[in-house]
Amino acid sequence: MRRGEMTCMGFWPFAFALWFVAAIAKADTLPADTLHSAKGKKMVVSALEISAVNAALVAHNRILRSDDAFSHITFSDIRRNLTHRHWWWDQDYFHTNTIEHPLHGALFYTIARANGLSAGTSSLYTLGGSWMWEMLCEAEKPSINDMVYTTVGGITIGETLYRTTTRILGALGAKRWKGCDDTPFQTSLTAGVRTFSATTGRRVTTASLLWEAAYGDPLDVEERTGLFDCFDLSATLVFGQHQSIASQVTINSQLLGKQLVDEPLYKATAGLYNHFDYRYSLTHYDLPKGQRERKPYVYSEVGAIGPGVAYRLGDRTRWEQQFCVNAILMGAVPTFTQHEGSRGYSFGSGYGARLRSRAVIGQWLHVGADVSWSQLFTWDGFYADDHSRTMNDPPSIQGETGNTITLLFEPSAEVQLLPHLSLDCRGCFSHFHFNHRYHPHTSAHADEWQLGVKYTF
């Protein structure tokens, strides 16, 4: 697809939120034991509703995006997709591939969950909905990166938002969820300002809104029965300066856990961790004669899974750390060497490590720091004579051949002002080292800060 289902980042969050709330509201009409039994499972209804969502998106593209070739799907295109053996790496924008597609997959997942299906079965429906879109709903060849991001990202976002939304509805008094889940849960909103700068670009300052949610306790695993029983998520929306609304989405989840130590002042666990990461900002560069250019500054991970350990010391004043290593199924990093026929980022697979540290001093001060390191390898990229390709014949490539090492350092501090109100400050320092075949040993960096007033519900 040239731009994917919908490229307008201003539309997608609101459309997704509307559908998601409708799906959860529908789930509230199901029997209370539906999630834990085989009764009331509407497998056929789920398949029909997923088909209806895809059909609605096809109609949207055909009517409102008729100038784009991907929207003119024909039976010959479908026949080619079903018989074609070679999928391709598409040329869509970064936000289309790495957040809009996962939101699309999360719709599939939520539909199945709202009809009473288990997390495992809903994951299969997400895979099926993604396959349907790639094969039947676009005039272009099936995309490798779309299939991964829609399926894997859709499952991660879908389940975490499903659990989070049901807890929020429970607090608001929805009949089904009221009092049915005693898992520790906390959510907050932070309104403030965000400032961002990358390498030689101009600093950009915008208004920001940060949503955070924490579900479960990673240091208490005795009562867990399924995946995603413990996770935390954060999402940043920014407004102004021609930025895309969705700037950052991060989900950290402990899929499985085993209690190692369970003492009043010392707890430790080992487990399997999963990570989803999306970061997108536009940097402004001044050009000669008063012109200005905006380039994307990006990073993404999906399907980052690996073992780790976590521990906590103390009670009112305490120290927490979590460390894990992971294999990264697919990620995306900037290239900063834009060529005709290529995107401004590269897909890759690889490995990484994460360290999360938190210190809590009484009830008034929280400080922390997250450190992430990864190395992603792009193996299907440019050849020596490929730089002359044009957008009329986009190559099926991942980006720039080579590998990229990424280091992210994210400090944070929160000072309690009132029982539910606090002052929140956080930053992110990013460094990329590129080992591209045709542009070796180059680097880029960025820094961002957020300052705001936080309300914890």
Side-chain angles (χ1 to χ4, degrees):
M1 72 187 74
R2 283 298 314 132
R3 295 187 179 182
E5 309 95 309
M6 307 178 193
T7 59
C8 178
M9 285 300 292
F11 174 80
W12 247 112
F14 297 107
F16 176 79
L18 180 63
W19 178 268
F20 197 89
V21 171
I24 297 298
K26 172 185 176 181
D28 189 54
T29 66
L30 297 174
D33 63 348
T34 299
L35 283 178
H36 308 289
S37 72
K39 298 179 181 179
K41 293 185 179 180
K42 302 179 181 178
M43 302 184 73
V44 175
V45 172
S46 297
L48 293 175
E49 291 181 354
I50 288 173
S51 301
V53 167
N54 278 341
L57 289 174
V58 169
H60 169 275
N61 292 338
R62 188 66 180 88
I63 296 171
L64 301 180
R65 301 290 304 279
S66 58
D67 292 339
D68 294 317
F70 77 87
S71 65
H72 295 263
I73 184 71
T74 66
F75 285 110
S76 61
D77 295 324
I78 295 174
R79 183 169 59 253
R80 178 206 62 204
N81 291 345
L82 292 173
T83 58
H84 190 63
R85 294 183 179 180
H86 301 288
W87 290 36
W88 80 318
W89 299 91
D90 70 29
Q91 301 294 308
D92 291 352
Y93 296 122
F94 177 83
H95 55 72
T96 300
N97 276 329
T98 58
I99 193 62
E100 292 180 17
H101 280 294
L103 289 177
H104 192 178
L107 292 182
F108 302 150
Y109 187 93
T110 305
I111 288 171
R113 288 290 267 153
N115 280 306
L117 304 184
S118 67
T121 304
S122 298
S123 298
L124 295 178
Y125 274 77
T126 308
L127 175 64
S130 179
W131 182 89
M132 178 191 300
W133 180 265
E134 296 301 320
M135 293 296 177
L136 309 179
C137 300
E138 286 188 314
E140 294 186 346
K141 294 177 293 185
S143 168
I144 301 169
N145 47 272
D146 288 354
M147 195 70 181
V148 173
Y149 268 94
T150 305
T151 303
V152 180
I155 293 169
T156 303
I157 294 178
E159 180 64 17
T160 54
L161 287 185
Y162 183 79
R163 291 179 180 246
T164 301
T165 307
T166 54
R167 288 303 299 271
I168 293 174
L169 286 178
L172 295 176
K175 294 179 181 179
R176 179 187 173 193
W177 300 104
K178 189 173 183 179
C180 74
D181 187 353
D182 57 359
T183 303
F185 176 74
Q186 187 178 74
T187 186
S188 65
L189 286 174
T190 304
V193 295
R194 171 184 178 267
T195 178
F196 173 85
S197 178
T199 314
T200 59
R202 296 172 62 252
R203 185 164 294 278
V204 177
T205 302
T206 60
S208 66
L209 182 65
L210 171 66
W211 174 48
E212 295 179 288
Y215 185 97
D217 183 352
L219 276 303
D220 185 6
V221 300
E222 294 297 334
E223 302 299 325
R224 296 194 201 157
T225 58
L227 302 177
F228 292 99
D229 281 349
C230 178
F231 62 83
D232 61 79
L233 66 87
S234 66
T236 301
L237 304 181
V238 297
F239 307 93
Q241 296 290 328
H242 305 286
Q243 299 290 311
S244 289
I245 292 179
S247 171
Q248 171 265 334
V249 178
T250 304
I251 301 174
N252 294 286
S253 55
Q254 188 186 62
L255 301 178
L256 301 172
K258 179 177 178 57
Q259 199 83 44
L260 300 179
V261 181
D262 188 8
E263 300 293 339
L265 298 179
Y266 177 40
K267 295 180 180 292
T269 61
L272 184 67
Y273 293 84
N274 174 47
H275 185 77
F276 175 91
D277 206 341
Y278 165 85
R279 301 167 191 266
Y280 180 88
S281 294
L282 287 172
T283 305
H284 296 251
Y285 293 88
D286 291 326
L287 300 177
K289 299 180 180 180
Q291 298 177 347
R292 185 172 297 172
E293 181 181 5
R294 294 192 299 270
K295 292 183 179 180
Y297 199 81
V298 302
Y299 184 73
S300 173
E301 289 181 21
V302 66
I305 300 177
V309 294
Y311 71 89
R312 176 189 298 146
L313 298 174
D315 187 14
R316 279 180 60 86
T317 298
R318 61 184 182 272
W319 172 258
E320 298 180 3
Q321 276 197 317
Q322 179 188 106
F323 174 77
C324 67
V325 294
N326 51 48
I328 303 171
L329 176 63
M330 187 174 293
V333 291
T335 63
F336 291 90
T337 52
Q338 183 77 31
H339 300 287
E340 285 190 299
S342 75
R343 63 182 80 81
Y345 62 96
S346 299
F347 285 116
S349 301
Y351 49 83
R354 295 183 176 275
L355 175 66
R356 310 183 72 199
S357 302
R358 299 288 185 272
V360 178
I361 302 175
Q363 298 293 323
W364 66 278
L365 178 62
H366 296 200
V367 294
D370 294 354
V371 181
S372 306
W373 177 92
S374 67
Q375 185 170 19
L376 297 179
F377 297 85
T378 298
W379 60 89
D380 186 9
F382 281 111
Y383 297 98
D385 61 348
D386 278 338
H387 292 183
S388 62
R389 296 192 183 190
T390 67
M391 290 299 291
N392 295 325
D393 182 25
S396 174
I397 58 172
Q398 291 174 266
E400 289 280 0
T401 308
N403 67 85
T404 301
I405 296 174
T406 304
L407 179 65
L408 304 176
F409 174 65
E410 301 175 87
S412 62
E414 178 184 346
V415 179
Q416 198 79 28
L417 303 176
L418 295 171
H420 293 277
L421 205 64
S422 58
L423 184 65
D424 187 88
C425 179
R426 63 188 62 207
C428 179
F429 300 90
S430 310
H431 181 79
F432 299 91
H433 182 75
F434 307 104
N435 296 303
H436 296 154
R437 178 178 298 175
Y438 300 108
H439 304 86
H441 306 301
T442 57
S443 62
H445 62 269
D447 69 89
E448 100 177 47
W449 288 97
Q450 292 185 59
L451 177 66
V453 177
K454 178 177 181 178
Y455 186 85
T456 302
F457 297 89

